[in-house]
Amino acid sequence: MEQVQEKQRKEEFDASEIEYVSYGGEHHLPLIMNLVDQELSEPYSIFTYRYFVYLWPQLSFMAFHKGKCVGTVVCKMGDHRDSKFRGYIAMLVVIKPYRGRGIATELVTRSIQVMMESGCKEVYRILIVVPFSSYSSQCSIIHEKSQFTKKVY
């Protein structure tokens, strides 16, 4: 019970204490994998992670607080069937004590900036929303702040 409360407690920090780092090689891969495995419901194999970070390392970023990896974004870009060159946000994670402080927004912004500089005409993110969950509420906030167009299928 105490561990659960500790995980959910907001971490106190100044925004300037967060260091944003571009993917720097194999030594960052376990950090990304651990975050995604902890926070997202979808299990990914190491091959999925490598697909993204090896082909588009410039689109993956991590957020660190005092040496601890607290957030990550993993993306790709390429031609789409309608001939648009576009980006895709595959994984976005910020651990619970650090949510709601702009870290995810900064991670996404950095990735989108690189995509735009590389010629992407649009960026998309598939968002699975579970009604009434705090995670879906947080995703909706990021979605709105990032000014993504909402499409429901």
Side-chain angles (χ1 to χ4, degrees):
M1 179 72 169
E2 194 172 304
Q3 284 181 329
V4 172
Q5 289 176 340
E6 185 66 30
K7 274 186 160 184
Q8 294 176 347
R9 189 176 302 142
K10 289 281 187 186
E11 187 69 29
E12 295 300 321
F13 64 93
D14 187 78
S16 65
E17 295 177 38
I18 302 297
E19 179 186 4
Y20 295 93
V21 177
S22 182
Y23 180 78
E26 189 73 22
H27 65 285
H28 280 154
L29 191 55
L31 299 173
I32 292 171
M33 290 174 65
N34 286 337
L35 280 179
V36 173
D37 289 347
Q38 276 178 27
E39 299 293 330
L40 298 184
S41 61
E42 303 169 42
Y44 295 107
S45 76
I46 191 166
F47 303 109
T48 303
Y49 292 102
R50 284 189 171 143
Y51 168 74
F52 287 103
V53 300
Y54 284 7
L55 293 175
W56 301 278
Q58 74 279 20
L59 299 179
S60 295
F61 291 90
M62 291 160 289
F64 288 88
H65 180 236
K66 297 181 179 177
K68 177 182 179 181
C69 190
V70 299
T72 189
V73 65
V74 177
C75 306
K76 73 173 193 166
M77 61 185 170
D79 290 317
H80 187 55
R81 63 178 166 257
D82 62 6
S83 74
K84 285 184 184 170
F85 190 68
R86 71 182 194 175
Y88 171 61
I89 300 169
M91 301 168 210
L92 175 62
V93 174
V94 174
I95 61 174
K96 286 180 182 158
Y98 290 84
R99 291 182 187 167
R101 313 282 191 68
I103 294 171
T105 301
E106 181 63 26
L107 289 165
V108 168
T109 300
R110 287 172 183 253
S111 293
I112 290 174
Q113 183 64 39
V114 174
M115 291 179 202
M116 290 171 51
E117 290 168 359
S118 300
C120 287
K121 301 299 180 204
E122 64 184 25
V123 176
Y124 74 106
R125 167 79 174 121
I126 297 171
L127 182 63
I128 300 168
V129 178
V130 179
F132 310 113
S133 76
S134 62
Y135 182 71
S136 67
S137 298
Q138 194 64 33
C139 289
S140 296
I141 292 167
I142 293 166
H143 182 84
E144 290 167 15
K145 285 182 180 177
S146 301
Q147 299 177 352
F148 280 87
T149 303
K150 185 175 185 179
K151 290 185 180 180
V152 178
Y153 300 96

